Amino acid sequence: MAGSRPGANIAVTWAAMMSFGRDGYVQATREVIRGARYLMAGLEKIDGVEVMGSPVISCVAWTSKVFNIYNMSSDLTKKGWNLAVLQFPAGIHIALTRRHMSPGVIDQLLSDIRDSAAVQMLNPGAAASGAAAMYGMAAQIPDRSIVGDISREFWKLYYSTNLQ
């Protein structure tokens, strides 16, 4: 299925379903949903952090009304987490998978979030820096139509091979 990204996804999904079977798939889904609820309950206990919405499946998002959430995102990236950031409102989210259900993974994520929140609470007014600053800045642009243009120019300059 070369050149067919949707076709490849369909083939992988079919193979996974054949390997797991219906009962295995249902069991894996239950584990992921339990993991999401566990993560959500843990987040609700962390000062300065609040869960966004009421997650019902595997995607859990959080924000802060106390500190710049993009600083936490940068912190967690440095600790090896690959999480997605959100705008409108600012937040962080993770789409949990079966891999996150390995023993200790969610507990480690919660520990890292707790540690980061404690650091952020020491200086809640700290301005974002690095990639977090760029993402936060993009959210402040009143004319949203130019965000793509600015981002493209930034990355063109960033990856420029002109060594003059």
Side-chain angles (χ1 to χ4, degrees):
M1 289 197 204
S4 175
R5 287 177 49 194
N9 288 339
I10 292 167
V12 168
T13 301
W14 178 84
M17 291 299 291
M18 294 298 103
S19 174
F20 278 154
R22 181 181 173 89
D23 292 342
Y25 178 79
V26 169
Q27 180 58 33
T29 302
R30 284 187 181 132
E31 289 173 15
V32 170
I33 291 170
R34 261 196 298 281
R37 290 178 182 162
Y38 181 77
L39 175 60
M40 185 174 67
L43 288 168
E44 289 173 343
K45 296 175 184 173
I46 299 174
D47 286 340
V49 172
E50 58 183 72
V51 175
M52 298 170 73
S54 300
V56 292
I57 304 182
S58 64
C59 191
V60 179
W62 62 96
T63 190
S64 178
K65 292 181 180 171
V66 180
F67 55 81
N68 188 323
I69 197 70
Y70 298 132
N71 286 337
M72 175 180 274
S73 174
S74 291
D75 227 12
L76 295 171
T77 298
K78 289 175 191 166
K79 294 179 183 205
W81 294 101
N82 185 13
L83 305 169
V85 290
L86 306 169
Q87 290 180 335
F88 309 118
I92 301 172
H93 91 271
I94 185 170
L96 294 169
T97 66
R98 192 164 176 246
R99 186 158 175 95
H100 295 111
M101 299 309 106
S102 298
V105 173
I106 294 176
D107 286 325
Q108 184 62 55
L109 176 58
L110 284 167
S111 176
D112 289 345
I113 293 169
R114 194 176 301 108
D115 291 348
S116 179
V119 169
Q120 303 310 318
M121 295 290 276
L122 295 174
N123 187 6
S129 61
M134 184 175 162
Y135 201 83
M137 177 195 69
Q140 303 301 315
I141 297 172
D143 180 1
R144 306 292 305 147
S145 68
I146 65 170
V147 172
D149 294 335
I150 292 171
S151 295
R152 272 188 294 284
E153 290 304 315
F154 171 82
W155 289 114
K156 275 200 289 190
L157 290 170
Y158 187 81
Y159 286 110
S160 172
T161 57
N162 183 356
L163 302 176
Q164 297 177 13

